[in-house]
Every structure is written in C-alpha cells, then in structure tokens.
Amino acid sequence: MKFISHHRHKLLVVIAVLSICLTGGILSYAESDGPARVLFINSYNYSYGIVPGQVEGVRQICEKEGLILDIEFMDTKRFNTDENYENYYEFLSYRLANTEPYDVILSSDDNALEFLRDHRETLTGDIPIIFFGINNTDTVFSAAGEEGIYGLYETTSIRENLELAMGLVPNAKEFLIITDNTPTGIGDANSYMAYAPQYENMTFTNVDFSQYTLDEFKHYLQNINENQILIYMTMLIDKDGISYTIDEAIDILAENASVPVFRPTIGGVGEGLLGGFMKSYEEQGRIAARYAVKLINNEEMPVDGLILERPNLYTVDYNVMTQYGLPVEALPEGTIIINRPLTFTEKYEQIFLPVGLVLGGFLIIILILIRDNRRRRDIEISLLEKNLALENLSEELTASEEELRSQNELLEDSREQLAESEQRYKELAMLDALTGLKNRYALRNELEDVLQQGSRGTIYFIDLDQFKYVNDSFGHLTGDAVLQEVGKRLSTLENKQVNVNRIGGDEFVLVAVETQRISDVSPAYDYSKSLSQILEKAIIIDEQAFYMTCSVGIVRFPEHGMTASELIRKADIAMYQAKEAGRGRAVIYSALMDVEASSILGMQNNIRQALEKDEFVLYLQPQLAMDTGKITGFEGLIRWQKSNGEIVSPGHFIPIAEQLGIIHHIGTWVLNRACHMLKDLKSKSDVGIKIAVNVSAIELTRLDFAEEFMAVLNSHSINPEDIVIELTESILLDSAREYLDKLNFLRNQGIEIHLDDFGTGYSSLNYLRTLPIDVVKIDRSFIVDIESNEKQRSLTKSIIEIAHNIGKTVIAEGVENEAQVELLRSVGCDMVQGFYFAKPMPYEQILEFIQCNDERSSLLEEN
C-alpha cells in the first residue's frame, strides 16, 4: 500500500525516470549479448488454483535478476491425451529450434517433468532442468538422480508447527494429533510421536480417527478443553469403514471442534481451520528461480540434485484467530494472515486516483459544453438583436461599411464555433466510453478509408483469455478496471500507422497500415510479440494481481479481403482458432478455417451414419492372471471399419464425438455390443470372464448416466459383476462430487471400476485410498523399459506394493516380451495385458483364443 501511495504522489517523476531508464536500457541491451533466458513449462493452465502463485514466484526472481522469462502451459488438467502431448511436442520442438537457446528450463508438477524426461534427448538436450511441485517421493529421487536435473524435495515441517501452536496457546498441556490407520496416517503419527521426548512439559496423544464412528468423533471434538492443542493430519477412514475426502474432513472439524484446529499442510485455511507453517506455491517458484540463477552464474549446485529449501510460510486465518481470542502479536514475523479486514484507506486507496481522474475528465467535458452552449446562445441573441435592429433601421442604408464587415465577422465566428461543436460531438461518437480508445464504428470507417486508398497492412483481432473469470469472480467494476488498464497499455502501440480500437467486451482490434502501397513489396512488422509483452506484467486491482493473456487472430489486407466487414469476420475466425489451439497465441487466417465448421458437421454426419450402418466394431484384448495364466477378462476397444475396409482409430473420432455431444451414442453402442458378446460367450464357454468398457468424461456429465447404464445391463440380463467400467486417471481426479456419486452407485450394484493409464496423469498414490476404484492399471510407459531401468523397476514395484496395501488389484498394460512378464511376476503384479499374449482381436477370434489358452493353462497346472 505504501508503494502505491508513493507512486501516486510522485507519478510525473516516476514516468520521467522510467522513460530515461527505458531508453538507457534499450541502448545498453543493444550493446550487450543480452540477458540469460529461462523457459518455464507448467503442467496445467493459469486458471488452475496453484498455478498463479507458482508463476508469480518465478516471475519475481526473473525480473529482479534481469532474466528473460518465457512461460508455456501444457494444459494437461483439461487435455490429458496422447494427441495433446504429441501436438505440444511438435510445438515445443519448433519453438526451441527457431529461438535463441535457453539457459535453464523450469518445470512444475508431474506431467511437465515426465514430458521433459521422456523427450530430453530429442528436445532439450543438455539444457539443465529444475523441477518443483512433485509430491511423489519416488519421482523426486528418480528425476534428481539424472544428470543436469535438479528439484525441490519438500518435507512436512513438524517442529515449526509445534512451536507456533505453543506460542498461540501458551497454557496448553497436551498435543492431540488427528491421524488414522492408513499408511499415511500411521506415518504421520510416528513422525509426531518422535518429537515427544523433546517437549517434556507436553503430552503427545495420537487421536486415531479409525477408532471412532463419525458421531463418536464429533462428540470427542466438542469436548476438547482449552489446554489441549488440536492438530489435523489425516482422517480418511472411520471405525465403520466409511471414507471421507479432505474437504469433508475439514467441514467436520470446523463445525465441531471446540478449539482452533492447526493444519500444517495445504487445505482448510479460510474454511474454518486456523492454519500453520504451510507450503507456499509462490515460494516454490521463487526457490526454483533462485537456483536457476545459480546455474546461470555457474555457482555450486546440490551434488545429489535435491534442493532442500522448503517453500513453507506461516499462514493463518484472522477469523479463527479472533474467534478463539488468539494473540496476533504472537505470530512469527512475516506470517500471512488471510481474511484480515482492511482499513478504509487500504480498501479504497487504489480507486481514489482513477475515480478522481474520471470525475475530473467528465467535469472538464461538462464545463466545455456549458461554455460552448453559453457562447452560442450569446451569439444567437446578439445576432437576433442585430437582425431586429437591421429590420427597424432597414431604411438607414447609410450604415458604414466597417459596421457591416464587423457583423459579417461575428456571423462567421458563430458558424465556425457551431462547426467545431458538431465535430467534437462526432469525435465523441467514435470513442469507447470505458477505455477512451476508438470504437467499432470508428474502426469500420477508418478501415474502409484505408482500403479505398489502396494501402496494405495487418489486422490483429485481440480477445483476452479467461476474462469471464474476472467478471464472475471479482465483479464487473473490477473487470472494467482491468479493461481500462489493458486499453491503456495497448494505446502505447499507437502511432501514425497504427490504430487501436475496443469493439466491445474484452475484444480489441489493432490495425497496422504499411507506408507502401499495394504495388510495393515490404515485410510488415509483427505486433504479436508486442501484444504478449505489454500484457504479461501483472494488472493490480484492489491489491489483487491479474495476469492476462490474449488470443490473437491475424488477417492481412488486401490478401484476405477488400472490405472492412470481411476482414473483421476473418480475423474473428482466426482468433477463435487461436483459442481452440490452447489460448495465449496468435493464429494467421487461412481459407481452411472457413470450411472447418462444415468439416466438423460432415464428421458428425459420418459418425451417425456409421452407427446406423453398423460400421463400428468392438475388439477385445484379453487380460490374464499372472499366477495361473488363465483369462480373467477382456478390455473392449472400439474401431471404425468403413465400407471401403479402412480402419479408423478411436483417437481420430472419439474427441470429435465428445466435442459434438454425441459420444453417449457411441458409449451406448459399445455397452450393448459388450453385453451381447458376454451373453454369447457364456453360452459357449464356462470361463468366468468380464468385459471392460471405456467411459468418457462427457458421458459422466449426463444426468441419468448411471440409470441408463443399468437399464442396458438389465435389457440383456447381464450380471453387473461381469461388466467393468474403465476411466482414465484425469477423469476421476477432475470429477465433481455428483460424478463420483454416480460411480459409487454403480460400484454398489456390483460393477468393478478400473483406473486406466495410471501414472500418466498425476501419479499421486494418495488418491487411491479415496477414489471409487477396484483395480489399478499401470500404463505401458512404466513397463516399456522395466528390464533395463532399475529406477523404473523399483518405482513399479512400489506402486504395486502400495496398491496391494490398500486392497487394490493391479493390471500391467503394454506387456510385450517374456522378460517383462518374469519381472512383473517377481514384483507381485496380479494381471497382465499386452501384445505378448494377444493383440486386440475381433469377436470371431475370441472363442478360438479362449480354447487355446485353456489348453495351455491346463498343461501349466499339470506340470
């Protein structure tokens, strides 16, 4: 707040200083080799909760050290598909090949790290990598063990939280540590109990949530006295075996605890829990960026690749502090206090200046209009009086020539003033009231003039990414303030050849006219990079930082059109293509874009016709028990076999079906076909088998998905225990509560739920305890080099052991040779699936495969 106030009072001085520094900086940069370059690859996108803090932390250090920072988002939270990874690989490969080399690459969260490790040899070479945001210990040690890769190793801070609690509750005599009997809960309990000898005046009590029913636990919480300190670590499963999410546990504690609840890990602060010494995502970014600076300066790095600095900050909720009368002065220096009320000055200081400027501007305009109207009225009255005098004195033809000239001059002045007022009103009609930029009407008029003059140039159609989130979350006043700042920054690009317009909402248009005529040939300056640069710095509104990116559609005239309407329409189309490509980028218009809508419609018709003509085929790939070699089930895999014999992979038509909202038709066809196959197999074979069907995330959004699913099974008289639902890891982790309720309902009917492609999403073993799944399918990427990669083999073994410890079965996918089979058998894998046993096959070959496998299994049992 002091910083803002200081600059508000010395605005002119700062502008002058900045101008001098900027000029000097440009000259200095031109004479040097340029600053070091850092590339930050984030697994998700900016709208995901943890990402803004990570980005801000990295940006702070890079700006302080004068480094060039580029940020790329993989967006795997929403698009965790092979196609997305392939497209991102092509994009990054092109970028790295066509820009100056980077000195360091920063990586946050699992997907980005695994992507860089998988493609390091072909993509980044020997550029050092610093990762953070990885919760899986095995992944941390595995990655940090590679040459040139460093990363944060984060641990829970027990001592700091014990000291904080004793400082806030000085009369306390006992620590109550909430855990349960899960592996994580047991580990948390052991960690805290190890500190008991160091605190002789305090009693350490492990409150095992698994020993209480929910009602018993609520009663316990309500009777805790003020001399006891309550610390929440783990409470996932109660005495009745009921599982609770972290959000549910937080609600139970906040509603029933009679004392403040300390929380040393992420979650609950601001939702009723007090807080503690907790991880800061912003500090994560700062630590990683500081070590990037060390690498660039050739300073000593950790030998084992592990950065042991902790990204933890003291964070508490002011409302909880007040509720329990805890002393704010006892908090450690630098503690973040959320929900602390602002003073009137703090709350409104930032809007005083802009509101004053706006009101002042309106007042000036009103005064000018009043003055003009008064002058015009005075002149009209004067002219009327003189005309009356002329009528009365018309007979006095001897009036002097000088007097007549004076009257003519007054009349001419009046006409000029009226013309000036009319021109001023016209100019106001051409301006956008919010930003002061020219509006849509002005854009069309000026663009038509430019086209008639035969000039050439470029149009940039700019749309702010995720701006709706600003309006929805912070209100339209904040949204308007953001738009005003964006307009102010864009206006810095204006000159004689460049105009910037706001045409409505969060849409802006920049028109750059070249000085040469159509007959001349000269390259146009590309403003795409300038647009990104002027928006990348945070926009501060009411102490809230907003980082805006934009999607830009580009057209060139006269190449793409000869009228303003045509050019604006095509630029709009190109802008939407930029958004579809992932936002935060610029796309040049192509004639193919005009036909894309009709192409998608054509694909939609083709898919519907394929359903009507029965062109889809369900292939089955067997899954076998590791100990007996017998078939335990099949995975159903859809293929599109066109009438000309061409086979279309589901990767080509499933995403389009999801986009067009017709995926449920395909899902229903697959389930019906699987039921038909099951019924026929059971009539011809006594093998107890199951068929797994893949379910799309879009299908889960259907209100009656669970009921329709059961209705199909009932129509075929299929036992629910013979059908399996396969879901990818990202679907389960992204699913809202109502989607999980649907899966729990189906699971209670006897349907197994399999977690497919485990390890390609978030690789968090903690989720396995709470998600409604029965079987974990390890992705083939873990299996492909298990023979030669000791770390991969150890990691796979750890996954299997932990899955077994929490009662899950494990299937390994992508098994292709006998060595992999033997290694998987040695680490306790339950079932296998892959080309070594059988490729996906049409139904006609299934009975023959079952018969052959039965004979082979019988021989193995006899031996």
Side-chain angles (χ1 to χ4, degrees):
M1 301 296 291
K2 292 181 179 179
F3 175 82
I4 295 172
S5 176
H6 173 73
H7 280 266
R8 184 183 62 187
H9 293 302
K10 299 184 178 181
L11 183 60
L12 294 176
V13 175
V14 171
I15 292 175
V17 171
L18 287 176
S19 300
I20 296 170
C21 292
L22 181 59
T23 305
I26 294 174
L27 295 174
S28 174
Y29 178 81
E31 296 171 358
S32 67
D33 295 332
R37 294 167 54 82
V38 175
L39 175 62
F40 177 20
I41 299 180
N42 193 288
S43 294
Y44 311 130
N45 64 25
Y46 195 80
S47 65
Y48 188 55
I50 69 174
V51 174
Q54 294 175 340
V55 171
E56 177 60 19
V58 171
R59 191 189 303 275
Q60 287 175 7
I61 300 301
C62 288
E63 288 183 353
K64 177 182 177 182
E65 298 294 334
L67 307 180
I68 293 177
L69 172 63
D70 289 333
I71 305 174
E72 294 295 343
F73 300 99
M74 294 180 68
D75 208 6
T76 61
K77 188 72 173 173
R78 297 183 303 157
F79 303 105
N80 191 23
T81 63
D82 291 341
E83 184 178 2
N84 185 35
Y85 283 99
E86 291 172 5
N87 290 338
Y88 191 77
Y89 176 87
E90 295 298 330
F91 158 74
L92 194 58
S93 177
Y94 176 82
R95 173 169 186 156
L96 293 173
N98 291 276
T99 59
E100 295 181 22
Y102 290 98
D103 296 276
V104 181
I105 296 177
L106 300 182
S107 161
S108 72
D109 298 289
D110 300 74
N111 292 350
L113 174 61
E114 292 307 316
F115 174 82
L116 291 172
R117 293 177 68 190
D118 289 343
H119 302 291
R120 194 175 183 195
E121 183 176 344
T122 60
L123 199 60
T124 62
D126 58 357
I127 302 175
I129 297 170
I130 298 177
F131 66 84
F132 59 95
I134 308 297
N135 295 325
N136 187 296
T137 302
D138 291 328
T139 302
V140 170
F141 280 96
S142 173
E146 296 182 20
E147 181 70 25
I149 298 183
Y150 307 89
L152 270 68
Y153 178 58
E154 302 166 13
T155 58
T156 302
S157 304
I158 296 176
R159 182 183 299 278
E160 288 85 347
N161 283 287
L162 295 177
E163 296 292 340
L164 173 66
M166 293 176 64
L168 292 177
V169 190
N171 296 324
K173 303 298 181 183
E174 183 179 10
F175 287 117
L176 304 177
I177 316 299
I178 299 176
T179 64
D180 58 20
N181 63 3
T182 63
T184 299
I186 294 171
D188 288 337
N190 292 337
S191 298
Y192 270 87
M193 291 304 169
Y195 279 81
Q198 303 178 32
Y199 294 86
E200 297 178 355
N201 296 327
M202 295 293 291
T203 301
F204 281 68
T205 301
N206 177 32
V207 182
D208 188 348
F209 178 62
S210 303
Q211 302 299 317
Y212 295 83
T213 66
L214 180 58
D215 289 337
E216 291 171 346
F217 189 69
K218 289 181 178 179
H219 179 73
Y220 177 85
L221 292 174
Q222 293 163 4
N223 288 278
I224 298 174
N225 64 59
E226 61 184 8
N227 293 325
Q228 294 173 305
I229 294 174
L230 186 62
I231 300 178
Y232 160 44
M233 290 302 299
T234 314
M235 50 178 292
L236 299 175
I237 301 176
D238 67 9
K239 183 178 180 180
D240 294 329
I242 300 174
S243 298
Y244 299 86
T245 66
I246 293 177
D247 289 338
E248 290 170 339
I250 290 170
D251 290 340
I252 293 169
L253 292 167
E255 293 171 6
N256 294 280
S258 58
V259 296
V261 183
F262 289 83
R263 174 70 165 156
T265 57
I266 295 300
V269 183
E271 301 172 13
L273 306 193
L274 175 62
F277 189 55
M278 308 173 68
K279 181 191 300 180
S280 164
Y281 296 110
E282 190 170 305
E283 184 63 15
Q284 272 187 340
R286 283 193 288 265
I287 292 173
R290 283 198 294 267
Y291 274 84
V293 174
K294 285 189 175 184
L295 276 172
I296 292 169
N297 294 335
N298 294 317
E299 297 180 21
E300 185 177 355
M301 296 290 288
V303 176
D304 58 3
L306 295 176
I307 299 171
L308 300 181
E309 290 188 35
R310 292 178 296 177
N312 294 51
L313 297 173
Y314 289 99
T315 306
V316 298
D317 188 338
Y318 181 84
N319 292 336
V320 179
M321 295 280 292
T322 303
Q323 178 184 351
Y324 292 100
L326 301 181
V328 175
E329 61 273 11
L331 293 171
E333 185 178 354
T335 299
I336 298 172
I337 306 176
I338 66 171
N339 291 327
R340 186 171 191 173
L342 300 175
T343 64
F344 179 84
T345 302
E346 290 174 335
K347 189 172 183 180
Y348 297 105
E349 182 176 14
Q350 294 188 50
I351 68 172
F352 288 156
L353 180 59
V355 168
L357 292 174
V358 171
L359 292 177
F362 278 123
L363 180 61
I364 291 172
I365 292 174
I366 291 171
L367 292 175
I368 292 173
L369 293 176
I370 292 174
R371 186 197 64 181
D372 288 348
N373 286 332
R374 286 180 176 177
R375 289 183 62 187
R376 183 174 61 182
R377 184 185 62 185
D378 292 344
I379 292 173
E380 289 174 348
I381 292 173
S382 175
L383 289 175
L384 180 61
E385 291 175 350
K386 293 184 182 299
N387 286 334
L388 289 174
L390 288 173
E391 290 177 2
N392 294 331
L393 300 174
S394 58
E395 67 278 4
E396 297 181 12
L397 299 177
T398 59
S400 68
E401 181 180 353
E402 184 63 29
E403 183 179 359
L404 290 174
R405 184 181 298 110
S406 176
Q407 291 177 359
N408 285 333
E409 289 177 353
L410 288 173
L411 181 60
E412 186 62 28
D413 287 344
S414 176
R415 289 173 179 171
E416 289 179 357
Q417 291 170 3
L418 288 172
E420 289 176 0
S421 297
E422 182 179 357
Q423 180 62 28
R424 186 176 295 107
Y425 287 124
K426 287 182 178 179
E427 290 174 354
L428 289 174
M430 294 282 190
L431 296 179
D432 172 54
L434 180 64
T435 63
L437 298 173
K438 294 180 181 178
N439 58 19
R440 181 187 292 271
Y441 182 69
L443 170 66
R444 291 186 177 275
N445 287 348
E446 293 176 357
L447 194 53
E448 291 292 356
D449 291 342
V450 168
L451 293 171
Q452 289 178 4
Q453 294 170 11
S455 299
R456 63 186 307 126
T458 307
I459 297 174
Y460 299 83
F461 195 111
I462 307 156
D463 185 275
L464 301 182
D465 296 328
Q466 306 293 357
F467 180 74
K468 184 177 183 297
Y469 164 77
V470 177
N471 274 339
D472 292 347
S473 301
F474 298 91
H476 288 277
L477 288 177
T478 299
D480 287 348
V482 171
L483 291 174
Q484 288 174 331
E485 176 60 21
V486 170
K488 179 180 178 181
R489 295 185 184 185
L490 291 176
S491 67
T492 61
L493 299 175
E494 288 190 312
N495 54 43
K496 291 182 179 180
Q497 281 74 45
V498 177
N499 285 322
V500 178
N501 307 71
R502 176 180 177 240
I503 62 173
D506 59 340
E507 295 179 336
F508 298 81
V509 173
L510 183 148
V511 180
V513 181
E514 298 176 37
T515 55
Q516 292 82 0
R517 295 298 181 92
I518 295 177
S519 58
D520 301 323
V521 178
S522 65
Y525 177 76
D526 186 0
Y527 284 88
S528 303
K529 185 175 182 181
S530 299
L531 293 172
S532 298
Q533 289 175 341
I534 65 174
L535 289 179
E536 67 180 7
K537 187 176 180 181
I539 297 175
I540 308 298
I541 307 295
D542 291 337
E543 297 186 351
Q544 176 67 42
F546 298 94
Y547 292 94
M548 307 303 298
T549 60
C550 62
S551 298
V552 183
I554 302 174
V555 296
R556 296 194 174 97
F557 55 85
E559 292 91 336
H560 293 140
M562 290 298 295
T563 67
S565 297
E566 181 183 10
L567 290 169
I568 294 172
R569 179 183 66 83
K570 290 180 177 179
D572 192 12
I573 291 174
M575 181 273 292
Y576 275 102
Q577 289 292 318
K579 283 192 176 294
E580 288 293 327
R583 296 186 173 88
R585 62 195 65 205
V587 171
I588 300 176
Y589 171 81
S590 164
L592 294 176
M593 294 179 185
D594 268 337
V595 302
E596 180 177 346
S598 60
S599 298
I600 293 177
L601 181 61
M603 177 60 80
Q604 180 181 16
N605 294 334
N606 290 339
I607 292 174
R608 293 186 181 276
Q609 290 174 8
L611 287 166
E612 294 172 0
K613 296 178 181 180
D614 200 24
E615 291 183 347
F616 289 116
V617 180
L618 189 64
Y619 279 43
L620 299 180
Q621 186 174 27
Q623 299 163 340
L624 295 90
M626 182 66 77
D627 54 352
T628 64
K630 291 184 177 180
I631 300 172
T632 59
F634 294 91
E635 180 180 1
L637 300 164
I638 191 172
R639 300 290 187 269
W640 182 358
Q641 186 169 343
K642 293 187 174 181
S643 56
N644 60 4
E646 177 188 356
I647 300 293
V648 181
S649 167
H652 288 85
F653 64 86
I654 291 296
I656 294 178
E658 290 178 330
Q659 179 182 351
L660 296 173
I662 59 176
I663 186 63
H664 65 281
H665 294 300
I666 295 177
T668 301
W669 181 91
V670 169
L671 181 57
N672 276 288
R673 184 61 179 155
C675 290
H676 177 78
M677 290 179 173
L678 266 174
K679 199 167 185 178
D680 190 58
L681 283 174
K682 288 186 176 294
S683 68
K684 297 177 181 179
S685 171
D686 59 355
V687 177
I689 60 173
K690 303 179 180 184
I691 293 183
V693 295
N694 290 279
V695 172
S696 163
I698 305 301
E699 292 182 80
L700 282 177
T701 64
R702 291 177 59 79
L703 184 63
D704 300 324
F705 167 76
E707 290 77 7
E708 291 176 356
F709 196 95
M710 290 303 301
V712 173
L713 299 190
N714 293 332
S715 69
H716 291 276
S717 301
I718 294 297
N719 187 336
E721 295 181 355
D722 293 332
I723 282 290
V724 173
I725 290 177
E726 284 203 3
L727 299 157
T728 63
E729 185 178 356
S730 59
I731 292 177
L732 275 176
L733 299 187
D734 286 341
S735 293
R737 165 52 55 188
E738 58 266 28
Y739 304 161
L740 297 180
D741 290 343
K742 296 174 187 176
L743 296 174
N744 278 315
F745 168 78
L746 292 171
R747 194 180 183 209
N748 292 334
Q749 303 301 310
I751 297 172
E752 279 190 7
I753 309 294
H754 287 194
L755 177 60
D756 196 14
D757 300 334
F758 181 78
T760 61
Y762 300 84
S763 303
S764 178
L765 295 169
N766 289 331
Y767 284 103
L768 298 183
R769 295 195 304 269
T770 56
L771 293 175
I773 57 175
D774 302 285
V775 176
V776 176
K777 298 186 70 177
I778 300 178
D779 186 68
R780 68 179 306 276
S781 61
F782 280 73
I783 310 302
V784 65
D785 60 349
I786 193 172
E787 310 112 292
S788 58
N789 190 323
E790 176 65 30
K791 292 182 179 179
Q792 193 78 335
R793 186 157 58 250
S794 298
L795 180 57
T796 303
K797 180 181 179 182
S798 297
I799 292 173
I800 294 172
E801 288 177 348
I802 294 175
H804 285 169
N805 288 338
I806 56 178
K808 312 298 182 186
T809 302
V810 179
I811 300 177
E813 297 183 288
V815 179
E816 297 182 353
N817 57 59
E818 186 174 357
Q820 292 173 346
V821 173
E822 293 305 319
L823 283 171
L824 288 168
R825 179 179 288 113
S826 68
V827 296
C829 185
D830 301 299
M831 289 181 278
V832 286
Q833 173 183 343
F835 284 9
Y836 178 69
F837 303 98
K839 295 181 178 181
M841 61 187 78
Y843 181 67
E844 294 76 15
Q845 300 176 16
I846 292 299
L847 286 175
E848 181 180 352
F849 179 84
I850 291 174
Q851 182 178 357
C852 294
N853 188 75
D854 287 345
E855 294 173 357
R856 184 169 57 250
S857 299
S858 298
L859 290 174
L860 289 173
E861 290 178 354
E862 292 175 3
N863 294 331

